[in-house]
């Protein structure tokens, strides 16, 4: 099993993890993080699969290099939009922990902490 | 109901992960070896580092459009309304000193990376990233204030690199193809484009962080 | 030996990615994302891609991290008691 295949498999799992985050988390900042994880997974699949026989391949490497720069541009735009959205709607949950379930859990935790 | 949908989506994601892993483990070997093609044509590309050759010669069109994407992202930020400048204060006395020591070295490292890109790992992207990081460091140390959204210098720098790339691409159209360099001038063209790109990309990346709405 | 290192690195990547999404505090999530970026730099080095490793270290971990931290700081300034981030 070559490193290329190992990291391609890791990239697949990262992609699915990020996809789950984008779909299931409510907080906008978390979704931006999850989207970045998806992108990193896709990059690993691109380079890892092309190099599964062990020889470095400059073509996918160059593509991923441009991809990383585009990803940071997309992140900057997304963050600006998220902040704008928050300023316009006054909604405060762009940084909160994800979905309703975990929010309930964290509230329970707070309640448990409170008497101490 | 909500919990049911949640578990259903987790199940679907697990199936997707399994299918993807199965797919990549059963792929046949690639019929075309791109690495070999690149190596065979490296001599006419004008540079001796294969990744730079792909970025600026064989797939120069992708790089060209990527610079355009960065500018569009910046335009999107300007259109959406820039975030206000961060509150000042809470500064550390060490940080400005460190920034003053580190930034000249970072600029030196960026120039080295740009020069090294022709024959070893490095190039315009990495040089631009280091330059942008230097600008962000200066900003965090409060030596360089935020850029107002009507700042002329950054706009000229960002547009300049892109227009230089566009001008070279358009000039090469007379040879019969967009960004198809004649082999004897390829090296010179690539160095010109890369120098313009480093400055343009660096200012563009730094602008994501430094471009802030004027204090009202 | 190399195989063990690759598997360990892959596990660390997945773990840091999972913690980025699952940790309750957003400030910590951003730090974990930067850690993820640095681990990814190691992965690119293992894949014989020094160009991407350089770009990932400077852009993926550095600039994206600075942007995200800036956004979190702005969020906290708007609402100082957000999520009990400091606890």
């Amino acid at each position: 099993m070559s490193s290329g295949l190992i990291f391609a498999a890791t990239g697949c799992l990262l992609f699915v993890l990020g996809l789950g985050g984008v779909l299931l988390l409510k907080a906008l900042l978390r979704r931006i993080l999850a989207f970045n994880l998806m992108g990193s997974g896709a990059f690993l699949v691109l380079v890892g699969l092309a190099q599964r026989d062990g020889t470095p391949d400059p073509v996918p490497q160059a593509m991923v290099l441009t991809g990383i720069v585009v990803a940071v541009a997309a992140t900057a735009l997304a963050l600006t939009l998220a902040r704008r959205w928050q300023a316009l709607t006054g909604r405060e949950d762009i940084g909160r922990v994800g979905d309703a379930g975990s929010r309930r859990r964290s509230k329970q935790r707070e309640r448990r902490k409170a008497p101490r | 109901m909500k919990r049911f949908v949640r578990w259903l989506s987790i199940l679907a994601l697990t199936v997707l992960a399994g299918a993807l892993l199965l797919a990549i483990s059963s792929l046949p070997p690639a019929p075309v070896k791109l690495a070999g093609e690149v190596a065979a044509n490296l001599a006419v590309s004008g540079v001796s580092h294969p990744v730079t050759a792909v970025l600026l010669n064989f797939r120069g069109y992708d790089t060209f459009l990527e610079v355009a994407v960065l500018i569009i992202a910046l335009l999107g930020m300007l259109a959406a309304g820039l975030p206000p400048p961060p509150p000042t204060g809470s500064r550390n006395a060490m940080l400005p000193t460190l920034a003053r020591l580190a930034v000249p070295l970072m600029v030196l490292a960026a120039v080295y990376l740009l020069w090294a890109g022709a024959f070893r790992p490095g190039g315009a992207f990495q040089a631009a990233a280091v330059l942008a990081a230097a600008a962000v460091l200066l900003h965090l140390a409060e030596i360089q204030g935020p850029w107002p959204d009507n700042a002329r210098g950054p706009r000229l720098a960002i547009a300049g690199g892109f227009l230089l790339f566009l001008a070279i691409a358009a000039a090469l159209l007379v040879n019969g193809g967009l960004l198809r360099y004649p082999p004897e001038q390829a090296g010179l063209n690539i160095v010109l484009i890369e120098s313009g790109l480093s400055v343009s990309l660096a200012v563009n990346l730094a602008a994501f962080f430094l471009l802030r709405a004027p204090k009202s | 030996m190399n195989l063990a290192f690759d598997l360990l690195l892959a596990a660390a990547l997945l773990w840091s990615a999972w913690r980025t999404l699952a940790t309750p505090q957003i400030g910590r999530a951003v730090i974990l994302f930067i850690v993820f970026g640095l681990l990814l730099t190691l992965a690119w080095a293992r894949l014989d891609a020094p160009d991407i490793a350089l770009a990932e270290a400077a852009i993926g971990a550095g600039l994206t991290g600075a942007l995200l931290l800036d956004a979190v700081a702005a969020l906290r300034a708007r609402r100082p008691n957000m999520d009990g981030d400091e606890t």
Side-chain angles (χ1 to χ4, degrees):
Chain A
M1 205 171 173
S2 64
S3 344
L5 204 56
I6 291 176
F7 286 116
T10 314
C12 281
L13 293 175
L14 280 174
F15 181 85
V16 173
L17 190 67
L19 183 65
V22 171
L23 291 177
L24 294 174
L25 298 177
K26 284 235 174 66
L28 283 179
L29 214 55
R30 293 283 173 151
R31 283 190 177 177
I32 294 171
L33 287 176
F35 196 73
N36 268 301
L37 291 179
M38 265 176 91
S40 301
F43 294 156
L44 275 177
V45 173
L46 257 176
V47 174
L49 267 189
Q51 302 185 2
R52 63 188 186 278
D53 55 356
T55 50
D57 187 343
V59 178
Q61 289 190 10
M63 299 290 110
V64 168
L65 200 51
T66 52
I68 287 174
V69 181
V70 170
V72 72
T75 307
L77 181 59
L79 284 173
T80 313
L81 289 175
R83 283 163 81 162
R84 185 81 187 138
W85 184 80
Q86 189 206 27
L88 285 178
T89 60
R91 297 270 295 273
E92 287 157 343
D93 56 352
I94 83 169
R96 277 220 188 176
V97 194
D99 54 303
S102 66
R103 194 175 307 164
R104 209 179 307 128
R105 274 199 297 281
S106 67
K107 262 187 198 150
Q108 278 168 1
R109 227 175 289 137
E110 267 165 39
R111 236 174 278 140
R112 247 178 279 135
K113 255 188 225 162
R116 255 181 278 159
Chain B
M1 184 62 203
K2 234 178 190 172
R3 179 161 292 184
F4 175 69
V5 171
R6 195 176 146 74
W7 282 111
L8 203 66
S9 42
I10 288 176
L11 187 71
L13 287 169
T14 316
V15 172
L16 176 66
L20 283 175
L21 289 179
L22 206 66
I24 63 161
S25 61
S26 60
L27 270 183
V32 187
K33 280 262 153 254
L34 285 174
E37 299 275 318
V38 171
N41 290 301
L42 201 55
V44 295
S45 72
V47 287
S48 58
H49 182 52
V51 176
T52 309
V54 173
L55 269 178
L56 286 146
N57 197 332
F58 305 143
R59 303 291 309 174
Y61 192 50
D62 289 344
T63 312
F64 178 56
L65 289 184
E66 182 229 343
V67 185
V69 166
L70 272 148
I71 293 179
I72 292 171
L74 197 64
L75 283 178
M77 269 182 77
L78 283 166
L82 294 168
T88 47
S90 77
R91 65 137 94 200
N92 187 332
M94 287 292 284
L95 195 53
T97 317
L98 177 72
R100 283 200 172 89
L101 283 174
V103 166
L105 291 176
M106 288 170 91
V107 173
L108 188 67
V111 173
Y112 168 74
L113 279 171
L114 179 62
W115 168 76
F119 51 90
R120 56 188 303 173
F125 290 96
Q126 292 88 339
V130 173
L131 277 180
V136 170
L137 183 61
L138 282 179
H139 179 62
L140 291 177
E142 293 178 19
I143 298 171
Q144 159 77 50
W147 293 333
D149 55 359
N150 55 0
R152 184 152 300 176
R155 286 183 178 206
L156 283 178
I158 292 168
F162 179 69
L163 289 177
L164 178 71
F165 206 156
L166 185 64
I168 292 178
L172 288 172
L173 273 180
V174 296
N175 289 353
L178 194 73
L179 287 171
R180 189 172 300 161
Y181 317 112
E184 63 276 11
Q185 289 166 21
L188 178 69
N189 279 326
I190 288 177
V191 166
L192 263 179
I193 291 176
E194 279 207 293
S195 317
L197 272 193
S198 319
V199 176
S200 171
L201 283 174
V203 177
N204 203 328
L205 289 172
F208 290 137
F209 197 86
L210 266 75
L211 214 53
R212 289 290 180 257
K215 272 193 185 122
S216 52
Chain C
M1 181 58 211
N2 278 341
L3 182 73
F5 183 74
D6 284 347
L7 288 175
L8 197 65
L9 190 54
L13 275 170
L14 287 170
W15 181 81
S16 58
W18 168 250
R19 293 306 302 160
T20 300
L21 297 182
T23 194
Q25 294 124 2
I26 189 71
R28 238 179 242 183
V30 170
I31 302 291
L32 279 163
F33 182 74
I34 296 172
V35 169
F36 171 81
L38 292 172
L39 287 170
L40 197 56
T41 306
L42 279 181
W44 292 129
R46 281 290 303 147
L47 282 170
D48 282 323
D51 291 272
I52 313 181
L54 276 170
E56 180 73 46
I59 299 176
L63 278 176
T64 313
L67 280 169
L68 287 165
L69 285 175
D70 184 48
V72 170
L75 222 66
R76 245 183 232 162
R78 283 179 69 88
R79 210 161 82 88
N81 57 345
M82 196 187 72
D83 286 73
D85 244 351
E86 302 301 323
T87 56

